[in-house]
């Protein structure tokens, strides 16, 4: 006769009263100067519907016992497919009128990571970043080489025109016009239009983060922002938190924003909320960087921090929280 | 009549007895499996001569009152021009037999940074990284776009054949042969051959770091390692230290190695020596990453830390230290 099974409930951070482990997901659809007075109610409703769809899709994966990695990849894929957001279809256009896409993903267990930059024909850059992490010994692949890998892996390809929308074409023309009529070399105002991203905590206690972008309108020279840079735009580590950033990429790269939040949590024992405040409201602001981050810690606490007018965002967790917002 | 000038000597970290501020530079030419028994004495002497030339060129800039930025850029340029090292001329070759180069530079004042990846025709990638930092609002440019910027800035172009040496051609053939006769997908052993880099402290108290590489032999798919990633392969901040890394790039990206050393110094008040030991000997080793880093702190203390058989390296400072070494 076997001894009776001994049932031990180990106290986990954020665990619910019934012993269930917390679930949480947060998403963003970019941050920056969002002029409230210019936003028609139906456009606002449409943005919120897009955010809700991605948020709920990601959360339902967590609820079914899926991984945080699957949840963030799926939420970001939906935001890439939604032409309202600056990633995948609907991405902003380069000076030459093309879409040029970057993305990265990180698994807090491991940690493992995958990233792509300068992609023009892979329908979902986040799916390519995921495959680089899962199926190659590498972390980062760029340009045509990355697309060759994508083709070998059987990912879906689209012509570059798939990504382009009339709204982004107009936006590009306005940016080029502004540039011609402003100081030479000075970047046109309002050209930084963010990214999309997601962070999540699953039932197994694993954290994950994902970020995807078209970069900045009217960009040139193969410019790459923080979105595909592990440590800047994306970072996840089961020991601390998962972070996805959006904003003026150059500042986020120089400040190594996502890893800096992790480092403040791990080395200074700050809460993720305090670490995010320090990095976004103090350090980034001092450096002149606009934008924000979303983060989730091991207990499932969600942080949505930005130092500009608005950030398209959503948050949902197993404590019953569910909200989407812009300002 | 004017009041006599009041002379105040403010105590600075590492200041010499005569009040002169410390100067220091360190360089590396890659790290990894360096088989002592296979190294002919004349080849060893040639490596050391190459390291000495770069070290002394950088140091003489500091001695003449030049900036740490000029010192690291010039030291790295010389290592790029030296066909013995895996950067610029003499870079390792991709699976297709081409050279594909990455580089980055960071100015601890600011901080400011510049980076390039996937370069094929710019003679000195470190010079391009510097120009991106100095003359563009961006941090990172990749591929043909980056080369377009280089052309507009009047940088020297070379055919891709300029970078290729018979030694690297043979190395590539050996790697391809090994790959065909080993487990599919497993990277051929010894294919990671490092980078070059430099860190320096100048009389004004400014720290700078620079890194340049050809990546790994037989690389595919536009693979990018840690060298052009700010925070991974390169980081400098006047508040803490300047770091340049070399080794198995994927591990260095996931561990955000250069910024992690800065974070341990700034948030845990570790010395740069202790921070480097923690990151290179404990964290990287646990993750399975081989390689090393060079670093200099605000007092001019030089750290050369590696967890593999050897690292081509050199160090020189105003206290009279001057050494170059391999093992």
């Amino acid at each position: 006769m076997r001894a009776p099974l001994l049932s031990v409930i180990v106290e986990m951070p954020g665990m619910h009263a019934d012993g269930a482990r917390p679930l949480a997901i947060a998403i963003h659809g970019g941050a920056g100067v969002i002029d409230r007075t210019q936003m028609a109610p139906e456009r606002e409703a449409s943005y919120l519907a897009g955010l809700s769809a991605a948020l709920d899709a990601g959360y339902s994966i967590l609820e079914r016992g899926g991984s945080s990695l699957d949840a963030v990849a799926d939420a970001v894929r939906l935001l890439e497919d939604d032409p309202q957001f600056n990633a995948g279809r609907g991405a902003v256009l380069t000076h030459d009128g093309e879409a040029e896409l970057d993305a990265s993903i990180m698994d807090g267990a491991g940690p493992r990571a995958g990233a792509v930059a300068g992609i023009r024909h892979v329908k979902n850059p986040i799916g390519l970043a995921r495959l680089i992490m899962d199926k190659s010994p590498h972390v980062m692949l760029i340009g045509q080489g990355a697309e060759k890998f994508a083709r070998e892996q059987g990912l879906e390809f689209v012509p570059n025109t798939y990504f382009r929308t009339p709204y982004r074409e107009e936006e590009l023309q306005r940016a080029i016009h502004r540039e011609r009529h402003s100081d030479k070399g000075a970047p046109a105002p309002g050209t930084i239009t963010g990214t999309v991203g997601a962070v999540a905590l699953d039932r197994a206690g694993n954290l994950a983060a994902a970020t995807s972008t078209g970069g900045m309108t009217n960009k040139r020279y193969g410019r790459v922002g923080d979105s595909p840079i592990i440590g800047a735009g994306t970072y996840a580590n089961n020991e601390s938190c998962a972070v996805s950033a959006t904003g003026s990429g150059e500042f986020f790269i120089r400040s190594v924003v996502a890893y800096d939040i992790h480092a403040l949590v791990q080395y200074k024992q700050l809460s993720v909320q305090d670490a995010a405040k320090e990095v976004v409201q103090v350090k980034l602001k001092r450096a002149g960087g606009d934008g924000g981050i979303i983060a989730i810690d091991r207990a499932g606490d969600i942080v949505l921090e930005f130092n500009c007018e608005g950030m398209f965002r959503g948050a949902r967790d197993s404590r019953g929280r569910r909200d989407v917002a812009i300002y």
Side-chain angles (χ1 to χ4, degrees), chain A:
Chain A
M1 204 177 131
R2 291 191 302 171
L5 285 169
L6 184 67
S7 170
V8 179
I9 293 179
V10 181
E11 185 73 29
M12 298 287 295
M15 190 182 265
H16 295 293
D18 62 358
R21 289 187 177 188
L23 302 177
I25 185 166
I27 61 167
H28 68 77
V33 180
I34 302 165
D35 191 342
R36 223 165 172 150
T37 61
Q38 296 290 314
M39 177 87 81
E42 49 284 12
R43 206 167 144 220
E44 195 168 301
S46 176
Y47 275 127
L48 293 173
L51 290 169
S52 294
L55 183 71
D56 293 339
Y59 190 77
S60 78
I61 288 174
L62 298 175
E63 244 179 349
R64 293 195 305 268
S67 72
S68 54
L69 211 51
D70 285 341
V72 297
D74 203 53
V76 166
R77 183 183 59 79
L78 287 172
L79 293 166
E80 284 178 343
D81 290 347
D82 185 330
Q84 302 180 100
F85 300 102
N86 177 22
R89 190 159 138 70
V92 300
L93 303 177
T94 66
H95 184 70
D96 300 324
E98 295 245 310
E100 222 171 67
L101 311 165
D102 310 326
S104 66
I105 192 166
M106 193 155 183
D107 177 4
R112 305 182 305 134
V116 284
I119 296 305
R120 288 160 173 261
H121 306 99
V122 175
K123 190 181 172 214
N124 289 105
I126 199 64
L128 177 52
R130 173 85 188 263
L131 273 178
I132 292 166
M133 177 173 77
D134 287 344
K135 308 276 186 193
S136 90
H138 304 308
V139 171
M140 188 174 201
L141 304 181
I142 64 174
Q144 290 173 5
E147 296 205 333
K148 192 176 169 205
F149 177 77
R151 210 173 277 282
E152 289 177 14
Q153 294 289 327
L155 277 186
E156 187 176 353
F157 274 64
V158 291
N160 197 266
T161 47
Y162 161 80
F163 299 110
R164 300 181 219 164
T165 61
Y167 176 71
R168 297 303 189 191
E169 307 264 8
E170 281 164 40
E171 200 177 54
L172 173 62
Q173 293 316 316
R174 281 199 304 274
I176 289 174
H177 183 267
R178 263 198 312 268
E179 192 181 54
R180 281 204 191 116
H181 296 83
S182 70
D183 286 346
K184 218 184 150 188
T191 48
I192 293 157
T193 36
T195 59
V196 308
V199 291
L201 172 71
D202 64 25
R203 196 146 279 153
N206 286 323
L207 289 159
T211 312
S212 182
T213 192
M216 50 193 285
T217 301
N218 198 23
K219 73 180 174 185
R220 276 170 240 212
Y221 310 122
R223 176 262 187 187
V224 170
D226 62 313
S227 302
I229 307 296
I230 298 301
T234 303
Y235 188 73
N237 191 322
N238 280 357
E239 291 177 23
S240 58
C241 55
V243 183
S244 171
T246 177
S248 43
E250 279 72 13
F251 294 89
F252 283 64
I253 295 178
R254 286 188 287 255
S255 299
V256 197
V257 162
Y259 192 80
D260 200 26
I261 293 171
H262 156 83
L264 285 166
V265 170
Q266 205 167 40
Y267 301 149
K268 290 193 87 174
Q269 276 76 50
L270 261 58
S271 69
V272 175
Q273 177 69 71
D274 288 346
K277 266 205 196 318
E278 171 72 17
V279 171
V280 174
Q281 308 295 356
V282 181
K283 295 173 82 170
L284 257 182
K285 224 171 190 170
R286 197 167 49 206
D290 288 333
I293 65 97
I294 55 172
I296 291 183
D297 69 8
R298 300 167 59 199
D301 285 331
I302 295 170
V303 174
L304 312 161
E305 194 73 41
F306 53 100
N307 65 18
C308 46
E309 278 174 57
M311 178 165 78
F312 296 95
R313 63 199 185 277
R316 189 167 171 191
D317 67 21
S318 49
R319 290 167 204 141
R321 173 176 184 175
R322 185 188 175 285
D323 47 64
V324 288
I326 299 179
Y327 312 103

